[in-house]
Amino acid sequence: MIRINLKKKISQRVVNGHPWIFNNEVDIIDSEVKGGEIAEVYTHDKKFVGTGYVNPRSQIIVRLLSREKNVEINEQFFYDRLIQCWEYRKKLGYIQNCRLVFGEADSLPQLIIDKFNNYFVIQTLALGIDVWKPAIVAAINRIFKPAGIYERNDVPVRELEGLSQQKGFLSEPFDTKITINENGLKFQVDVENGQKTGFFLDQQDNRRTIQHIVKGADVLGAFTYTGTFEIHAAHYGARSVLGLDISENAVQQAAKNAELNNVQNICRFQTANAFDVLKQWSREDKRYDVVMLDPPAFTKSRETLQKAITGYKEINLRGMKLIKPGGFLVTSSCTNLVSPVLFQQVIEMAAKDARRRIRQVAFHTQSPDHPVIWGMENTHYLKFLIVQVI
Ligand code: SAH
């Protein structure tokens, strides 16, 4: 077994539970290490820290899989971990559709598995987990007898690990447009060509929180993707709903989903750049009872964090200006570098510039099938805020 020793002066981060070890935190590697191999990690004074997978090409040289001594990383290990993940979701009632595995938060670093009915979509985002793909697929087959498994590894982050971008079936081919049920509504999930794994499960609970504020309301939703929030709004009794997305494909899918739920007369969708349109409409004195914003992550790096903050401020400022007095802003941020407190500050600045007073109605995060690990900031990534705009 390869042994890796941590430097004397490394932060308590790893010992306290963080699963990542950076290459400048490592002192001695006792043999030539190949990417994807399993190693045991020890402190400088030889205390066992954990077992993980190695990639000398990555800045994160080790990602820990286990803190227990003498654990063998093999097919059974992944089966046992997946069982634990499934038990947790079942316990919390996330049975039909859920994020079955949320990487680091499930002690399976860089592994994502989304479950849609009995179909599974997998992402293996680091070399050390990618080599275990056959074991992970075997575990899914054993536990679920799935209708199908699809790989969505067409993500640039894999290249940092020396992995290619790819997607395709990990089971017999199947129709990759799957219809799921969420909160009593139907949505088509395109696991082959949709964004990320095809559907944003992390907002599944938040979509219900708009139930009362949209009743009888004229609703504007920007960054609509497959129209989930907008179709919920129509279902909960909105008078009119308009959803905007820059992607023509998304708008078509959203319109199809509206038809699936028989709300096409209330819900319209339009291809547009939300930044341009919201600005223009506030000048034209268009007004809505509820404005909903759910933009994509604006940055993944600290260097461009300021730009992301400017983006959030801009879009929320424009959104608030469009809201009738006493109406509501429903606003999200999935950029993990923007902390919940920072997000609140940005909204506060936007309100100031829009010359509106706001009251917090609800402030949530992602659904618990994406658990948050304290001390691992990037697991607490989603901010979902409802404010009344006075
Ligand atoms: N609300 C959705 C998820 C939105 S994902 C849900 O719950 O499923 C973000 C969406 O914003 C993507 O569909 C992307 O196409 C869209 N988008 C990105 N930039 C945009 C822009 N400038 N204007 C409008 N839409 C944009």
Side-chain angles (χ1 to χ4, degrees):
M1 173 75 79
I2 299 160
R3 277 177 79 110
I4 292 180
N5 293 340
L6 299 177
K7 280 185 182 160
K8 192 171 178 184
K9 273 197 176 155
I10 73 144
S11 66
Q12 282 296 300
R13 194 177 46 80
V14 178
V15 174
N16 285 346
H18 203 289
W20 294 356
I21 295 159
F22 292 91
N23 45 21
N24 62 0
E25 295 176 327
V26 164
D27 209 8
I28 313 160
I29 303 181
D30 68 358
S31 61
E32 188 68 19
V33 179
K34 288 203 282 299
E37 284 187 300
I38 299 294
E40 280 185 349
V41 178
Y42 291 84
T43 58
H44 72 283
D45 52 356
K46 306 205 164 40
K47 286 198 190 87
F48 178 76
V49 175
T51 305
Y53 61 75
V54 183
N55 188 355
R57 275 183 66 160
S58 168
Q59 268 195 353
I60 305 171
I61 190 162
V62 186
R63 288 179 165 100
L64 293 175
L65 288 160
S66 172
R67 298 265 170 184
E68 277 168 59
K69 199 140 171 82
N70 302 324
V71 163
E72 212 182 310
I73 309 300
N74 52 22
E75 233 184 89
Q76 187 64 34
F77 171 86
F78 286 97
Y79 173 81
D80 293 342
R81 272 285 150 84
L82 255 63
I83 288 278
Q84 282 170 13
C85 292
W86 181 222
E87 290 301 322
Y88 169 78
R89 272 75 187 173
K90 279 196 293 191
K91 184 96 193 152
L92 291 163
Y94 293 84
I95 293 165
Q96 210 170 41
N97 314 307
C98 63
R99 177 146 293 187
L100 176 67
V101 178
F102 182 42
E104 277 69 355
D106 282 303
S107 300
L108 288 167
Q110 302 301 299
L111 175 64
I112 299 292
I113 305 179
D114 278 353
K115 175 181 183 297
F116 302 111
N117 299 330
N118 206 21
Y119 294 90
F120 293 79
V121 183
I122 298 188
Q123 295 181 310
T124 45
L125 303 175
L127 174 63
I129 196 76
D130 193 68
V131 298
W132 292 100
K133 207 164 63 185
I136 294 159
V137 168
I140 294 174
N141 283 329
R142 226 172 119 189
I143 300 167
F144 296 98
K145 308 212 172 12
I149 308 176
Y150 199 83
E151 166 181 13
R152 279 302 299 270
N153 274 329
D154 49 330
V155 268
V157 69
R158 277 178 45 108
E159 289 178 9
L160 300 176
E161 289 276 324
L163 294 165
S164 64
Q165 293 195 44
Q166 61 196 59
K167 64 177 175 178
F169 295 101
L170 296 175
S171 64
E172 287 298 309
F174 56 90
D175 181 356
T176 50
K177 289 197 170 163
I178 298 162
T179 303
I180 62 164
N181 182 305
E182 181 187 87
N183 302 322
L185 293 165
K186 291 194 194 100
F187 295 100
Q188 200 176 64
V189 179
D190 184 344
V191 301
E192 184 179 5
N193 296 314
Q195 294 178 32
K196 303 269 176 79
T197 59
F199 190 81
F200 293 97
L201 290 165
D202 51 0
Q203 294 270 33
Q204 57 181 313
D205 293 343
N206 296 333
R207 294 187 185 113
R208 283 197 303 272
T209 63
I210 64 170
Q211 178 168 3
H212 299 290
I213 60 172
V214 296
K215 215 155 273 169
D218 291 318
V219 178
L220 174 66
F223 310 95
T224 183
Y225 185 39
T226 52
T228 50
F229 274 99
E230 292 69 20
I231 290 163
H232 276 76
H235 173 68
Y236 291 137
R239 185 164 64 170
S240 75
V241 185
L242 175 59
L244 308 173
D245 202 285
I246 204 161
S247 148
E248 176 68 32
N249 262 343
V251 165
Q252 280 175 12
Q253 185 64 60
K256 208 183 250 174
N257 282 334
E259 276 176 33
L260 268 180
N261 294 286
N262 206 15
V263 293
Q264 67 275 22
N265 295 335
I266 298 166
C267 249
R268 287 188 303 121
F269 295 96
Q270 198 174 310
T271 313
N273 183 331
F275 282 90
D276 299 342
V277 167
L278 265 60
K279 194 170 178 174
Q280 192 188 330
W281 289 355
S282 64
R283 285 212 194 101
E284 291 170 5
D285 283 334
K286 283 201 184 180
R287 292 294 176 266
Y288 294 88
D289 300 296
V290 177
V291 171
M292 308 190 290
L293 308 170
D294 187 15
F298 284 148
T299 184
K300 289 198 163 57
S301 82
R302 273 182 210 284
E303 288 79 64
T304 49
L305 181 57
Q306 192 49 48
K307 231 175 105 194
I309 291 171
T310 309
Y312 282 120
K313 188 181 152 196
E314 167 73 12
I315 200 76
N316 282 286
L317 164 75
R318 301 291 161 205
M320 281 184 210
K321 286 193 167 179
L322 285 170
I323 298 172
K324 294 176 196 166
F328 295 88
L329 175 70
V330 179
T331 183
S332 297
S333 156
C334 59
T335 304
N336 62 39
L337 292 170
V338 174
S339 69
V341 171
L342 178 55
F343 187 59
Q344 284 171 313
Q345 287 165 348
V346 173
I347 301 303
E348 197 176 15
M349 286 192 299
K352 215 170 190 180
D353 285 10
R355 293 170 204 255
R356 303 295 292 271
R357 277 194 308 124
I358 52 175
R359 302 205 291 189
Q360 179 178 316
V361 177
F363 193 29
H364 297 164
T365 187
Q366 69 261 15
S367 51
D369 53 339
H370 303 59
V372 173
I373 304 293
W374 292 355
M376 233 185 278
E377 293 77 15
N378 56 351
T379 62
H380 191 179
Y381 68 99
L382 187 67
K383 283 77 58 188
F384 175 83
L385 176 69
I386 303 182
V387 290
Q388 188 179 31
V389 183
I390 302 162

